[in-house]
């Protein structure tokens, strides 16, 4: 790349809107994600995170606005978008009856890829599952299942991966296992859009963080940039830097509990 060359965003979202009846879930969402980075989309339940992911993955049409993935428009070029992405939801989509290796081989065959066995073995190694590859997935721990699920999402080497609350329901130790897997994705050049309610997760993983509140991005930046939004720390005995939780609660916490329309709303459209 020559000096002055601008790299196009892997994900570009502009003025995205979506309503379910009279409930406006997205009210003009804008953000961009650089290639090979981890972008964390934070928000309370009902903020619209999953709706954003469903639109970007072509599972749902927006009411207004535009979005592109890897240069392809999600509305007019859905087939190209699907070839460029993989989506891992909140619950592992693995077959308990099959072994870990058989799950990976099956997906590779369904995608008509050559050498599915070699693909499976490579992914088992990348996600520290080689020793468990011959065991049925029903015997796996929660963290192993999530790592296998993420490995399955990488078959075919999609340049963009959506992880929608990937550590929901996992204990702290298992969450760290998944974090390591996500970091490996980005280190290998994959662009990751991560939605999460866990502020420490975004703080640990994300290159860029956006807070979605009441259907809008209210702030976006690196962790250091977001820390600058709060007043300087007062030094008494120990200087304490603001955490991402401090920032989040200062920006949206004051009225998030009182907004029943959003806290009680299901993002699929059922209040």
């Amino acid at each position: 790349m020559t000096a002055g060359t601008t790299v196009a965003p892997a994900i570009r979202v502009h003025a995205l809107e979506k309503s379910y009846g009279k409930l406006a879930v997205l009210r003009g969402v804008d953000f961009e994600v650089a290639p090979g980075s981890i972008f964390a989309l934070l928000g309370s339940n009902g903020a619209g995170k999953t709706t954003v992911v469903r639109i970007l993955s072509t599972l749902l049409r927006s009411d207004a606005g535009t979005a592109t993935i890897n240069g392809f428009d999600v509305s007019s070029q859905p087939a190209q978008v699907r070839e460029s992405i993989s989506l891992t939801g909140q619950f592992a989509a693995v077959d308990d009856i099959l072994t870990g290796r058989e799950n990976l081989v099956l997906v590779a065959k369904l995608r008509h890829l050559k050498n599915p066995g070699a693909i499976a073995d490579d992914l088992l190694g990348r996600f520290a599952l080689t020793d468990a590859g011959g065991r049925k997935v029903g015997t796996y721990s929660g963290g192993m299942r999530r790592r296998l699920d993420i490995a399955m999402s990488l078959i075919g080497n999609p340049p963009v991966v959506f992880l929608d609350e990937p550590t929901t329901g996992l204990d702290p130790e298992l969450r760290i296992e998944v974090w390591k897997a996500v970091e490996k994705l980005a280190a290998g050049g994959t662009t990751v859009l991560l939605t999460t309610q866990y502020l420490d997760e975004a703080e640990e993983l994300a290159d860029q963080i956006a807070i979605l509140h009441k259907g809008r991005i209210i702030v976006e930046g690196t962790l250091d940039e977001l820390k600058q939004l709060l007043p300087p720390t007062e030094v008494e005995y120990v200087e304490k830097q603001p955490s991402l939780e401090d920032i989040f609660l200062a920006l949206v916490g004051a009225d998030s509990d009182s907004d029943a329309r959003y806290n009680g709303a299901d993002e699929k459209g059922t209040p």
Side-chain angles (χ1 to χ4, degrees):
M1 181 170 26
T2 60
T5 302
T6 301
V7 178
I11 304 172
R12 176 181 281 136
V13 175
H14 176 65
L16 210 61
E17 297 182 12
K18 182 64 182 178
S19 296
Y20 298 108
K22 295 182 179 180
L23 177 62
V25 177
L26 303 180
R27 305 182 179 191
V29 172
D30 298 271
F31 63 85
E32 294 183 351
V33 182
S37 67
I38 300 176
F39 183 93
L41 188 60
L42 291 179
S44 306
N45 279 332
K49 304 184 302 297
T50 296
T51 298
V52 170
V53 170
R54 292 180 69 199
I55 290 172
L56 295 182
S57 55
T58 75
L59 298 176
L60 183 69
R61 292 188 66 88
S62 64
D63 298 331
T66 60
T68 59
I69 306 292
N70 208 29
F72 300 113
D73 186 274
V74 298
S75 296
S76 61
Q77 299 171 293
Q80 292 92 327
V81 169
R82 290 175 193 138
E83 291 176 355
S84 301
I85 67 170
S86 185
L87 169 62
T88 298
Q90 297 178 22
F91 304 99
V94 295
D95 191 324
D96 287 350
I97 298 176
L98 300 178
T99 67
R101 189 176 188 275
E102 287 170 342
N103 269 277
L104 294 167
V105 168
L106 176 61
V107 174
K109 287 181 176 179
L110 290 174
R111 295 186 179 177
H112 307 290
L113 299 178
K114 296 180 180 179
N115 301 318
I119 292 171
D121 291 338
D122 174 64
L123 287 168
L124 288 171
R126 288 172 60 185
F127 287 89
L129 291 168
T130 298
D131 291 343
R135 286 167 41 197
K136 289 187 177 182
V137 173
T139 68
Y140 282 17
S141 68
M144 293 167 68
R145 290 168 64 88
R146 292 305 286 166
R147 293 207 312 271
L148 178 63
D149 195 27
I150 294 172
M152 290 169 64
S153 74
L154 293 184
I155 293 175
N157 296 314
V160 177
V161 172
F162 299 118
L163 301 178
D164 189 16
E165 303 197 21
T167 61
T168 295
L170 299 184
D171 65 36
E173 185 176 355
L174 298 181
R175 289 175 65 207
I176 291 173
E177 286 187 28
V178 175
W179 290 358
K180 291 178 180 178
V182 174
E183 288 173 333
K184 286 183 179 179
L185 290 185
T190 302
T191 303
V192 178
L193 189 152
L194 168 75
T195 74
T196 182
Q197 298 181 65
Y198 300 129
L199 304 179
D200 59 335
E201 188 160 274
E203 195 164 2
E204 175 71 22
L205 294 174
D207 301 301
Q208 196 82 356
I209 299 165
I211 296 178
L212 182 64
H213 183 57
K214 295 186 177 180
R216 292 189 176 92
I217 300 291
I218 59 172
V219 68
E220 180 184 345
T222 65
L223 179 59
D224 287 341
E225 289 170 343
L226 298 189
K227 286 181 177 180
Q228 300 304 313
L229 299 175
L230 297 187
T233 56
E234 294 183 6
V235 179
E236 294 180 353
Y237 298 102
V238 178
E239 181 176 351
K240 179 179 179 295
Q241 291 293 324
S243 67
L244 184 56
E245 182 175 10
D246 296 328
I247 298 164
F248 182 86
L249 293 176
L251 291 170
V252 307
D255 61 349
S256 61
D257 289 338
S258 62
D259 193 335
R261 290 193 308 134
Y262 278 82
N263 288 337
D266 179 85
E267 290 192 354
K268 295 181 181 179
T270 302

